[in-house]
Amino acid sequence: MDILKTVIDYLLSLGAAIFVPIIIIIAGIAVKMKVKDAISAGITLGVAFTGMTMLISFMTGAITPAAEAMLKSTGISLPILDGGWTTMSTISWSWPYAFLMFPLMIGINVLMLIINKTNTFNADIWNVWGKIFTAVAVVGITGNIFLAFAVAAVQIVFELKSADAHQHRIEKLSGIPGVTCTHKMVFLAAIFYPIDKMLRKIPALDRKFDAETLKSKIGVFAENHVLGFLLGIVFGVLARYSVAETLTLAIQAATALTLFPVITKYFMQALSPISEAVSDFMNKKFEGRTLLVGLDWPFMGGSNEIWLAIIFTVPVTLLFSMFLPGNEILPFAGIINISIAVPAYLVTGGNLLRMIILCTIGSPIFLWVGTAFAPFMTQLANQTGAVELAAGQMISNSSIDAPVFTYAFSHVFKFLEGNFIPAVILLVWVTCFVFYYRDLMKEAKADKGESEITGTEEIA
C-alpha cells in the first residue's frame, strides 16, 4: 500500500499537464486507438494544458499587482491571506487520508458506468484534490473522517451527473464532441440557474449577446487584441500606474486575450480523435450508449466571454472586499476567478450581459465562503506545515470552487449545534441542481429530436 501510495503521489505531483495526458493515452489505447495516435493526442493535450496554464499565470501576474495597487490606495486592511487554489491544493494533499480519495473516486465512477447511472469517464483524476478539500472541510467542522468520505462520495456522484447534463451544452459552445467538464466549479451554475431564468424574461437580456455580437455592434473595438488593450488601459488608470506601466499592462492584457482562443484549438486537436475512438468503442460494446470523457475546464478557455467576464469581475471583487459586511479576506491570489465565470458561461449559454450580472451577484459569495473557511484551513496548514504562516496569520482562498456547494455540504452538520443555515443552503442548492439538471437534459433531448427531424427531411 505504501509503495502504491508513493507511486500515485509522484504521478499526481507531476501536475495536470503530465498526469491527464497519461490517463488519456492509456484510455486511447484501451479503446483501440493506434498507439502513435493515442500518444500524439496525449502530448498535444499536454501542450494545450501547459499553454493555458502559462497564459493564466501570465495574466494573473499582470493583473494582480494592479489589483493590489488599487486596494492599497484605499488603506483598507483585511487580515486573511488569499493563498489561491494552489495553496489550498497543497494543504489538502497534506491531509493524512488524502490518498484514499483516489480509489474512492475511481471506484464510484466505474460502478456508476457499470450500472448505467452515468456516461462520463472522469479523466480529470488530477483534480481529485477538490474532493479532498471538501473532505478536509468536513473534518475541520465535525472531526469525523467517515462523514468526510461520505460527503466526498456525494460530491463525486454530483460531478458525474453534472457532467452528463452539461455535455450537450458544452459541445454546442465549444464545438468539441464527446467531452464534458467534471470539475466541481460548474456546481455554481445550479445557483445561477433560477436567477438566469428571471433575467431571460427581460427582453433586452434575452437576446443573443456573445463576443461575436459585441464585435458586430462596436467593430474593431471588440477584437480580442483591441479589447484587451483597452481593458489594460482601464486597469492601469485605476491602479494609478505611470504611462509606461499602463501601456505595458495594456499590451499584456491584449496578448492574453489574443492567445486564449489559439491555445484552445490544441484542445480540440487532441480531444477530437480521442472522442471519436471512445464513441466507436462504446457503440460496439454498448449499443446506443455514448461514453463521455470528463476533463478540467481549460478546453473551454477559447471562449472570449469567459475572459471578459473574469476581467470584469476583478474590480467588482475588489470593491466588494472593501465594503462587504462579514468579509475579512484580501483577494489577490484568487483574483482571476475562473470558478465564477465558467458556470456563468454555461448557464447563460455564453450571453455576456447575463454573465456579467451573475458574476456581480456571485462575487460576494466567494468572499464570504473564503472568510468562513479560513479558521480550519489555517489550523490544518499549521498542523501539517504545508504552508508557513506568521504567528496569528490566517489563510484561505477568495475563489473556492463551487462555494455554495462546498460550504453547505461541509457545514451541514452544524445543525447538531443548532445552526440550520447550512442545511437550508444545502436544500436550496440541491433543489436548484435538480431543476437545472432536468432543464439541461430536456434541452439536449429537444435538440437531438430537431436534428433527427432535419436529417430525415434532408434524406427525403
Side-chain angles (χ1 to χ4, degrees):
M1 181 65 75
D2 288 341
I3 295 176
L4 181 60
K5 180 181 184 300
T6 301
V7 172
I8 296 299
D9 285 347
Y10 173 73
L11 290 173
L12 289 171
S13 71
L14 298 176
I18 297 177
F19 187 74
V20 176
I22 290 173
I23 297 298
I24 289 296
I25 291 171
I26 294 172
I29 294 173
V31 296
K32 310 300 182 183
M33 277 186 78
K34 292 181 180 179
V35 174
K36 65 180 181 65
D37 291 338
I39 293 175
S40 176
I43 293 174
T44 304
L45 186 61
V47 170
F49 266 111
T50 300
M52 189 62 72
T53 300
M54 287 172 59
L55 274 180
I56 293 171
S57 297
F58 173 76
M59 191 172 186
T60 302
I63 295 293
T64 300
E68 187 174 1
M70 291 181 213
L71 202 57
K72 187 176 181 180
S73 63
T74 67
I76 292 175
S77 176
L78 297 168
I80 301 174
L81 177 68
D82 181 9
W85 75 265
T86 52
T87 302
M88 296 302 102
S89 173
T90 300
I91 294 173
S92 298
W93 277 113
S94 67
W95 187 47
Y97 303 97
F99 171 72
L100 296 177
M101 198 63 68
F102 190 79
L104 179 67
M105 176 178 165
I106 295 175
I108 291 175
N109 195 172
V110 170
L111 177 61
M112 289 182 66
L113 284 169
I114 291 173
I115 64 177
N116 199 19
K117 293 301 181 182
T118 185
N119 290 319
T120 299
F121 159 65
N122 188 0
D124 186 24
I125 299 176
W126 183 80
N127 268 320
V128 70
W129 82 265
K131 271 69 73 176
I132 299 170
F133 181 82
T134 303
V136 165
V138 174
V139 171
I141 298 297
T142 67
N144 191 309
I145 295 172
F146 295 104
L147 283 179
F149 278 97
V151 172
V154 171
Q155 178 177 320
I156 292 166
V157 172
F158 272 117
E159 285 177 349
L160 293 171
K161 300 304 290 185
S162 173
D164 289 338
H166 274 112
Q167 188 277 327
H168 176 72
R169 185 169 290 185
I170 286 175
E171 183 174 338
K172 284 201 301 183
L173 292 169
S174 70
I176 306 176
V179 177
T180 186
C181 183
T182 43
H183 200 294
K184 75 168 181 172
M185 70 168 63
V186 301
F187 287 171
L188 186 59
I191 293 297
F192 283 162
Y193 169 70
I195 304 172
D196 187 61
K197 290 283 281 187
M198 290 188 289
L199 293 176
R200 288 172 186 262
K201 297 183 183 298
I202 302 173
L205 297 178
D206 194 35
R207 302 168 188 167
K208 182 180 179 181
F209 198 91
D210 55 12
E212 285 299 317
T213 305
L214 183 65
K215 189 181 297 184
S216 69
K217 291 184 178 296
I218 62 176
V220 69
F221 292 101
E223 295 283 351
N224 284 23
H225 61 295
V226 177
L227 188 57
F229 184 85
L230 293 175
L231 289 170
I233 292 289
V234 171
F235 272 91
V237 171
L238 291 175
R240 300 181 181 180
Y241 276 3
S242 67
V243 173
E245 290 172 326
T246 299
L247 291 174
T248 299
L249 178 59
I251 290 296
Q252 289 173 330
T255 300
L257 285 188
T258 300
L259 293 180
F260 278 125
V262 176
I263 294 297
T264 301
K265 293 177 182 177
Y266 289 98
F267 280 103
M268 297 178 69
Q269 183 179 326
L271 294 171
S272 292
I274 290 286
S275 174
E276 291 173 8
V278 168
S279 180
D280 291 342
F281 180 81
M282 286 300 291
N283 286 335
K284 292 177 183 177
K285 296 293 182 179
F286 304 96
E287 188 175 348
R289 190 174 173 193
T290 301
L291 186 67
L292 310 171
V293 179
L295 290 174
D296 198 355
W297 74 273
F299 70 92
M300 294 183 279
S303 303
N304 294 333
E305 296 82 7
I306 290 177
W307 298 107
L308 292 174
I310 287 172
I311 292 172
F312 169 85
T313 306
V314 172
V316 169
T317 302
L318 289 173
L319 284 172
F320 273 124
S321 70
M322 289 184 245
F323 306 111
L324 186 68
N327 173 59
E328 296 182 18
I329 189 168
L330 189 65
F332 283 154
I335 197 66
I336 301 296
N337 194 351
I338 296 160
S339 297
I340 196 172
V342 170
Y345 174 68
L346 292 178
V347 77
T348 63
N351 183 292
L352 188 56
L353 291 178
R354 298 204 306 274
M355 285 177 68
I356 287 173
I357 294 172
L358 292 176
C359 288
T360 301
I361 294 171
S363 289
I365 298 173
F366 285 87
L367 295 173
W368 279 324
V369 172
T371 299
F373 274 44
F376 58 83
M377 294 310 297
T378 301
Q379 182 181 13
L380 186 64
N382 288 329
Q383 288 175 347
T384 61
V387 180
E388 290 187 11
L389 298 174
Q393 188 176 43
M394 300 182 74
I395 192 167
S396 187
N397 181 11
S398 66
S399 58
I400 290 174
D401 300 320
V404 176
F405 172 94
T406 308
Y407 173 80
F409 275 79
S410 61
H411 286 65
V412 67
F413 302 104
K414 285 280 190 180
F415 77 89
L416 296 172
E417 302 172 9
N419 182 0
F420 291 91
I421 293 177
V424 172
I425 295 174
L426 185 151
L427 180 61
V428 170
W429 183 87
V430 171
T431 302
C432 291
F433 180 87
V434 169
F435 282 100
Y436 180 48
Y437 178 90
R438 290 178 178 176
D439 206 7
L440 288 172
M441 298 303 285
K442 285 179 182 178
E443 177 187 296
K445 188 175 181 180
D447 286 354
K448 183 179 179 182
E450 289 178 8
S451 177
E452 290 176 350
I453 291 172
T454 303
T456 303
E457 290 173 348
E458 289 175 354
I459 292 172

